[in-house]
Amino acid sequence: MDLSTRLSYLFGTEEDVALRRQLVLLREISINYYSREGNQHVICSGSLGEGVAYPKSDDDLMFSQMNFRVVMTNREDTQDGDALMVPSDSSPGYCRLLIVSGSYPDNVIHIIHERPFVSSSLWKQHFAITQYIHGPCQSETIGYQEFDYAVCIPCNTWPDTGNDWIIRDRPNDWPSCEMIRRILHNGCHMVPIGDPDSPYADHEWRISFSVAERTLMHSFNQTQFLVYNLLRLTLKRVIAKAFPEVLCSYFLKTTLFYTAENTPKQLWQVHDLESCFRICLSVLYDYVDHIYCPNYFIPEYNMIKRKINYTNRHQILDMLRTCHLIGGVGIIRFSDESSCLDARLSETIMEYKLDRQFMFSNHLLNALLEIDNFFCTVQHDDTACCMLNLYKFWSLLKCNPTILESDLKYNILNKGINSCCLTLMNQLLTSSGLNKEYYPLYKTLETLLRIAYRGDVTTGKLTMATYTYLVGKTDTALYVIRQLLSEYPPYAVDVNKDELKIQTYMDVMCGRGYTMNYKIRHAHAPRYRLYKAYLNAFPSPLKIWITIMNEFQLAPLTYAYFLESLCHTQHQNPIRLMKSLRCLFNHIDDQKVDGDIIYTRMCVGIIKCVQGDNQSACRWLGSVYVMTDTIPPPFNERISRSALTYIACLLNKKFQSVE
């Protein structure tokens, strides 16, 4: 297996990278439509925003405060919230923000020589939502994903310190004139962190070009993308082990930008990947040797002047010489990833890995989460709003043809349709109007449910089964569940990594030329999301749990057996109920993730509550309470509280009234 194939296996094929980039833009559109009436614009930045899927990458988000802005000159047409950029005396990459108009919060203003400035340190404290602040960002862990938030101020014009970047000679036509125009149109942002060498460090701001950098990264071809990831691998597996805080991925990105600008496009070919990697290492070597790494947009800003010194310089140079000598193949061979890169690796195994990487990538999950939020904007008393949102959502996809390829667009739209169904269900099952008034909306819902039913292996069918159960059509609900269980393939790609499933999936789906669209429709089994925004669209026995948790996800078979048990309970059919519960019990043993095991046990406890078997219910719910230390906060505390609440309702004999 050659170097490019190995790296594509680790970091994604050209098609996989293109999908990630499309999902980033889709997610951003969905977030900002969802919060369109607010005063902030959300930007997906960092590794995930640039389409890089590196292990344990943080999800970096910039919250641009649109009710404030930075201007270059003190003009007469100032607007409310304007601040004048005053260049820093210590570094060209930083500035101070002099308030010229508008009402900034009093607790972010610092007076310097009788003039009001926006203090970066006070700004971070004012907008703090977590206790963990590092640099310009706040950190938060939700489930297993880490998030970094930076609350910034937009600057719609290009800073004067970056003017040389606009006009400098580019013999290789990268970036193109069109890209430069787009970057200038988007401007830059001020993030709250000062130059450590400045006497005004607590009140200075760094000029951030994150949006411009994302535009440049998205323009990279597959060779440039793989070289960047190989540079990051070199940093992580070689340099950072000896000097963990010296170099960072931003310096590598800058190295690649300069190299791409100063080399011909014809050089960046897959068969020359090793040569391109060595050229970038030589550029980085030169930066370390001279202790000067110029910012790509502001070359006068030396980004490593506090990182490299004459003590560590020679050791890092030795490492870079060694990396240059052994090349990319050597880096791969001596990295931890080499264990999963056996030369005998077949194409079908590689295809499975890439399929799974896409189906459960943070890029896809984040985009789908924001689509759900997109449809949560529906008001309960507005019967037309849901369909209007669906139309607007489809219009967004049509208006941005570069965002989604047709293969993915179907699946994303299907997710929107399923969210639209839940919105309508929540609205209709909450309303107290006459059925005649809502008849057209019921017909619309049923039409959308039929479309969602065929979307993937489980999601649409579970929504259909939930709806028919809630409206009293339990026979139909049981039919839908039986269809789901009979059609559920033994090779369905879910969150568990079962070796037998993996082998069967590769035999059936890989190496046959199937599109990703086909694979998702026939083999993708994502968790089913239940959340408070659609509380009335879910069965009553779950409402306590949903209310406390706010949102959570169930393995599809867990929810299917749970619904089946509810239907048999309502039919008062103890034999079939026992069979469904036995399937639910057995499903616990099939789970590989602690959270799924706990949630399945919780479902069994709730069914026992509905049955009136209080002793068994308390035993199952008690086991949930004991096991919650195996899942991360804040879910462990919420699931504990949920279990205790159900037990309290049983002891007080209030469960039936809650139900």
Side-chain angles (χ1 to χ4, degrees):
M1 185 184 296
D2 61 21
L3 179 61
S4 63
T5 304
R6 291 185 172 203
L7 291 173
S8 294
Y9 169 77
L10 275 178
F11 304 111
T13 63
E14 188 170 4
E15 293 77 13
D16 188 44
V17 174
L19 285 175
R20 289 187 209 141
R21 292 169 178 169
Q22 294 160 8
L23 287 167
V24 166
L25 298 177
L26 172 65
R27 180 193 181 197
E28 196 169 286
I29 288 173
S30 301
I31 293 174
N32 291 307
Y33 180 85
Y34 171 50
S35 58
R36 62 194 182 280
E37 296 178 358
N39 292 320
Q40 68 181 12
H41 181 86
V42 179
I43 300 163
C44 304
S45 58
S47 298
L48 290 180
E50 292 164 352
V52 178
Y54 207 72
K56 299 182 180 179
S57 292
D58 292 346
D59 191 358
D60 297 327
L61 298 174
M62 295 173 64
F63 293 91
S64 179
Q65 302 304 299
M66 305 306 291
N67 48 339
F68 307 108
R69 70 170 184 170
V70 175
V71 295
M72 295 295 110
T73 57
N74 195 357
R75 303 168 301 178
E76 294 183 1
D77 60 336
T78 55
Q79 300 177 9
D80 189 39
D82 278 0
L84 178 65
M85 180 188 291
V86 180
S88 168
D89 297 328
S90 60
S91 174
Y94 295 86
C95 65
R96 283 177 284 163
L97 303 181
L98 174 64
I99 299 174
V100 294
S101 70
S103 54
Y104 279 78
D106 292 339
N107 59 350
V108 304
I109 299 174
H110 180 75
I111 305 300
I112 302 176
H113 303 310
E114 299 183 354
R115 296 195 299 174
F117 287 86
V118 187
S119 167
S120 57
S121 59
L122 296 176
W123 177 274
K124 283 186 288 188
Q125 294 173 22
H126 177 74
F127 285 99
I129 57 176
T130 72
Q131 297 179 346
Y132 306 102
I133 298 177
H134 60 94
C137 300
Q138 307 170 50
S139 294
E140 184 178 16
T141 300
I142 301 177
Y144 296 94
Q145 178 66 45
E146 292 185 3
F147 294 85
D148 279 348
Y149 309 102
V151 182
C152 55
I153 302 177
C155 178
N156 296 329
T157 53
W158 196 251
D160 294 338
T161 50
N163 283 340
D164 287 345
W165 176 81
I166 304 173
I167 60 175
R168 73 184 178 215
D169 185 39
R170 293 183 173 87
N172 299 297
D173 194 31
W174 189 91
S176 65
C177 293
E178 174 57 32
M179 285 174 61
I180 294 172
R181 278 195 295 269
R182 199 185 327 155
I183 287 171
L184 296 179
H185 174 75
N186 291 329
C188 60
H189 292 82
M190 306 297 134
V191 295
I193 186 69
D195 181 5
D197 294 337
S198 170
Y200 302 109
D202 286 342
H203 315 298
E204 286 185 340
W205 297 68
R206 188 171 68 208
I207 304 172
S208 170
F209 299 97
S210 290
V211 177
E213 290 158 7
R214 189 180 72 179
T215 301
L216 295 174
M217 289 292 292
H218 282 204
S219 74
F220 279 168
N221 64 21
Q222 181 68 358
T223 303
Q224 291 164 322
F225 171 81
L226 294 179
V227 168
Y228 176 59
N229 280 284
L230 187 53
L231 287 169
R232 288 184 59 147
L233 196 63
T234 304
L235 173 64
K236 179 181 178 183
R237 299 301 182 191
V238 181
I239 300 172
K241 286 189 174 181
F243 301 98
E245 301 295 332
V246 176
L247 299 182
C248 66
S249 59
Y250 190 80
F251 301 156
L252 306 181
K253 189 195 308 181
T254 301
T255 299
L256 193 57
F257 286 160
Y258 274 114
T259 308
E261 183 176 306
N262 295 314
T263 52
K265 294 179 180 178
Q266 295 77 12
L267 174 69
W268 298 93
Q269 304 296 325
V270 172
H271 59 269
D272 284 330
L273 194 150
E274 188 76 79
S275 300
C276 295
F277 172 64
R278 285 192 164 100
I279 291 172
C280 289
L281 278 181
S282 299
V283 174
L284 183 61
Y285 182 96
D286 190 56
Y287 291 158
V288 175
D289 190 28
H290 292 86
I291 314 181
Y292 197 99
C293 179
N295 181 276
Y296 180 66
F297 299 98
I298 308 175
E300 298 78 16
Y301 172 28
N302 179 14
M303 299 187 296
I304 63 171
K305 65 179 180 179
R306 284 180 298 274
K307 300 285 188 179
I308 306 293
N309 54 53
Y310 288 99
T311 303
N312 60 25
R313 170 173 162 267
H314 292 293
Q315 293 172 282
I316 295 174
L317 289 175
D318 287 342
M319 289 182 178
L320 290 174
R321 276 194 293 267
T322 302
C323 292
H324 190 280
L325 179 65
I326 65 176
V329 174
I331 297 295
I332 289 287
R333 185 176 299 144
F334 293 109
S335 70
D336 292 350
E337 278 82 355
S338 61
S339 60
C340 63
L341 288 173
D342 192 284
R344 295 169 297 173
L345 190 68
S346 69
E347 291 185 3
T348 55
I349 296 177
M350 182 173 169
E351 185 176 344
Y352 162 75
K353 294 287 187 182
L354 295 178
D355 288 352
R356 185 179 179 85
Q357 183 186 52
F358 170 71
M359 291 182 185
F360 292 99
S361 70
N362 285 330
H363 296 82
L364 179 63
L365 298 178
N366 288 335
L368 297 186
L369 175 64
E370 299 309 334
I371 292 169
D372 281 333
N373 291 337
F374 185 99
F375 286 93
C376 285
T377 57
V378 173
Q379 301 298 317
H380 293 310
D381 56 351
D382 187 351
T383 57
C385 188
C386 184
M387 292 308 298
L388 181 61
N389 266 12
L390 184 60
Y391 172 75
K392 287 180 178 178
F393 181 67
W394 176 242
S395 298
L396 282 175
L397 299 185
K398 288 178 65 179
C399 292
N400 296 273
T402 60
I403 290 179
L404 291 175
E405 304 297 336
S406 57
D407 218 28
L408 179 61
K409 189 178 290 186
Y410 169 85
N411 295 290
I412 295 296
L413 181 63
N414 185 72
K415 176 62 178 176
I417 291 172
N418 191 73
S419 297
C420 192
C421 290
L422 289 174
T423 304
L424 285 171
M425 287 164 58
N426 186 63
Q427 182 179 343
L428 291 170
L429 296 169
T430 305
S431 64
S432 57
L434 298 174
N435 286 341
K436 185 177 181 181
E437 298 175 13
Y438 289 96
Y439 180 76
L441 210 54
Y442 275 108
K443 298 301 292 183
T444 301
L445 172 59
E446 290 175 0
T447 300
L448 291 175
L449 282 169
R450 284 194 290 272
I451 297 173
Y453 185 91
R454 298 187 294 271
D456 62 18
V457 177
T458 58
T459 307
K461 293 180 177 66
L462 289 173
T463 302
M464 173 75 86
T466 302
Y467 171 72
T468 50
Y469 166 78
L470 291 174
V471 297
K473 299 179 180 179
T474 50
D475 288 334
T476 306
L478 286 169
Y479 172 79
V480 172
I481 294 168
R482 280 194 290 269
Q483 285 289 109
L484 184 155
L485 296 174
S486 64
E487 296 174 4
Y488 191 86
Y491 49 83
V493 181
D494 54 22
V495 293
N496 297 318
K497 295 184 178 180
D498 184 279
E499 293 299 327
L500 181 59
K501 277 189 178 183
I502 292 173
Q503 188 58 53
T504 310
Y505 177 88
M506 290 190 295
D507 292 342
V508 176
M509 285 288 176
C510 296
R512 299 176 181 271
Y514 293 140
T515 64
M516 184 61 71
N517 180 28
Y518 180 89
K519 292 174 182 177
I520 288 178
R521 291 184 66 184
H522 293 86
H524 187 207
R527 290 187 178 104
Y528 194 78
R529 188 178 176 212
L530 300 94
Y531 37 138
K532 194 175 178 180
Y534 300 152
L535 184 62
N536 290 303
F538 302 113
S540 296
L542 290 175
K543 288 184 178 179
I544 296 175
W545 191 7
I546 296 172
T547 302
I548 295 174
M549 294 288 290
N550 194 42
E551 67 170 85
F552 61 94
Q553 298 176 13
L554 291 177
L557 291 183
T558 297
Y559 189 50
Y561 290 133
F562 176 82
L563 284 176
E564 188 179 46
S565 300
L566 285 181
C567 291
H568 291 320
T569 301
Q570 202 166 92
H571 280 180
Q572 297 182 346
N573 190 326
I575 297 176
R576 292 189 175 179
L577 173 60
M578 186 57 65
K579 182 179 178 182
S580 297
L581 282 173
R582 191 178 300 114
C583 292
L584 200 52
F585 298 155
N586 295 336
H587 191 50
I588 294 175
D589 298 331
D590 296 334
Q591 305 284 356
K592 308 292 184 185
V593 180
D594 290 337
D596 289 334
I597 295 172
I598 291 173
Y599 288 176
T600 305
R601 296 180 76 88
M602 187 78 171
C603 287
V604 175
I606 294 173
I607 292 295
K608 293 295 183 180
C609 290
V610 176
Q611 277 185 273
D613 188 353
N614 293 0
Q615 187 175 0
S616 295
C618 288
R619 187 169 62 251
W620 281 96
L621 295 169
S623 69
V624 168
Y625 179 79
V626 171
M627 295 174 64
T628 51
D629 58 347
T630 61
I631 57 177
F635 301 109
N636 56 350
E637 185 273 332
R638 292 177 186 170
I639 190 70
S640 298
R641 190 148 46 94
S642 301
L644 291 177
T645 304
Y646 277 104
I647 293 173
C649 289
L650 288 174
L651 295 177
N652 296 324
K653 299 182 179 179
K654 292 182 178 179
F655 183 77
Q656 295 303 321
S657 62
V658 173
E659 184 187 352

